[in-house]
Amino acid sequence: MHSNSKQLWRDVQVFDGQALLDEAMTVRVDDGRVAGMWPSRAFAEADAQGAVEAGQGGVMTPGLVDCHTHLVYAGDRAGEFEQRLEGVSYAEIAKAGGGILSTVRATREASEEALLAASLPRLDALLADGVTTVEIKSGYGLTLSDELKMLRVARRLGELRPVRVTTTLLGAHALPPEYAGRADDYVSLVCDEMIPAAAGEGLADAVDVFCEGIGFSPAQCERIYQAAQAHGLAIKAHAEQLSNLGGSALAARYGALSADHIEYLDEAGVRAMAEAGTVAVLLPGAFHVLRETQLPPIDLLRQYQVPMAVASDANPGTSPICMPSLMANLACTLFRLTPREALAGMTAHAARALGLPELGRIAVGAAADLCLWDIQHPAELAYAVQSGRLRQRIFNGVITHAR
Ligand code: DI6
Ligand code: FE
């Protein structure tokens, strides 16, 4: 099918990225964009002129936006999963050189081709669940060349598959063993070499940090933000995941697109995010896998009207889950989001967390990244955990997945 085709979907229930429209709609897509949207009962057949009938009935949502993943990596951590079942904590495993560092060893050893081959099935799983935009982080290389290798693989994934990929340099994910006791020197490597190279080669859209006791201090993260700003890259943070260091407020002060995890976020942090327009990215997969008990401050985020996104955090340690629709379910069951909030979190708010507010919504003029689901009501996406409901995945106006 051609991207310049003109297509018509009739009688669909539209969730537009924020809410369910209150009557069945007819949607026309011309040349990769939504060209018209009418209540079906008022649709004038003249407006169907020249368009192919592409579908009838079902629920139409924006294509899903997975705004936080670490899906490029080599190796696996099933052994650590078993250790954790025996009572060893995530932080203990990390301190003993496992955790993120075990994936770093495997990723450094992998060639670019091997890394690509290992990552492709994970991307395909996301696509099969309706994803049309995905953010992919580095952070398992931790040398200049291995971080760039990961970012190149992420970019190549976006060329191999019909999906928009945004890339994030996460050089400050963990301290590599060769820098033990010299964290500030490693931060200098991130600031003086990784960020300039990733920006110069167009390999990164944003810079992220792991602001945590087992990661990097707020002062170190601040240096990284200054370097990112100097090179025109957007800013994100893994913050307040395991403790409250004020990383989200720091990120907000630097105009961050998002602060992610945020289980330990306090009211001052929520206020700082609201003032800066920083999106709260909720990662219920990591919360679930780590069996965390500290809930993110959902009521405060609502009260301060901080937009909440929901993402998979797909990674080999804390969220080995490549199923965004399960994240909608977990966001509701674990964090008590409403299904409407969870879906907005995986579409409009997730797009905003990537600095792409024109995506993640269905509106006349918007890019036609769409999903057509075989369900009666959008809430079913969060309510039931079930594959096989995606009838069509439409990327840039082209149907790329159809049963
Ligand atoms: N927080 C997380 O949950 C992931 N990274 C991070 O900073 C975990 C990554 C891993 O365990 O491999
Ligand atoms: Fe993460």
Side-chain angles (χ1 to χ4, degrees), residues 122 129 132 161 212 266 372:
R122 294 189 280 268
D129 207 34
T132 52
R161 291 292 187 266
E212 191 59 68
D266 59 16
L372 187 66

Side-chain angles (χ1 to χ4, degrees), residues 118-187:
S119 307
L120 205 47
R122 294 189 280 268
L123 178 65
D124 285 340
L126 296 182
L127 267 51
D129 207 34
V131 167
T132 52
T133 299
V134 59
E135 184 255 19
I136 302 177
K137 300 177 195 295
S138 67
Y140 292 119
L142 312 185
T143 65
L144 174 63
S145 65
D146 290 309
E147 286 293 298
L148 297 183
K149 175 176 76 178
M150 288 188 71
L151 293 171
R152 277 196 302 273
V153 168
R155 287 280 194 237
R156 283 178 66 189
L157 286 169
E159 290 157 12
L160 286 171
R161 291 292 187 266
V163 63
R164 297 173 211 277
V165 170
T166 75
T167 59
T168 300
L169 173 70
L170 179 55
H173 193 197
L175 188 65
E178 63 274 18
Y179 278 87
R182 295 189 297 133
D184 286 322
D185 292 345
Y186 180 68
V187 171

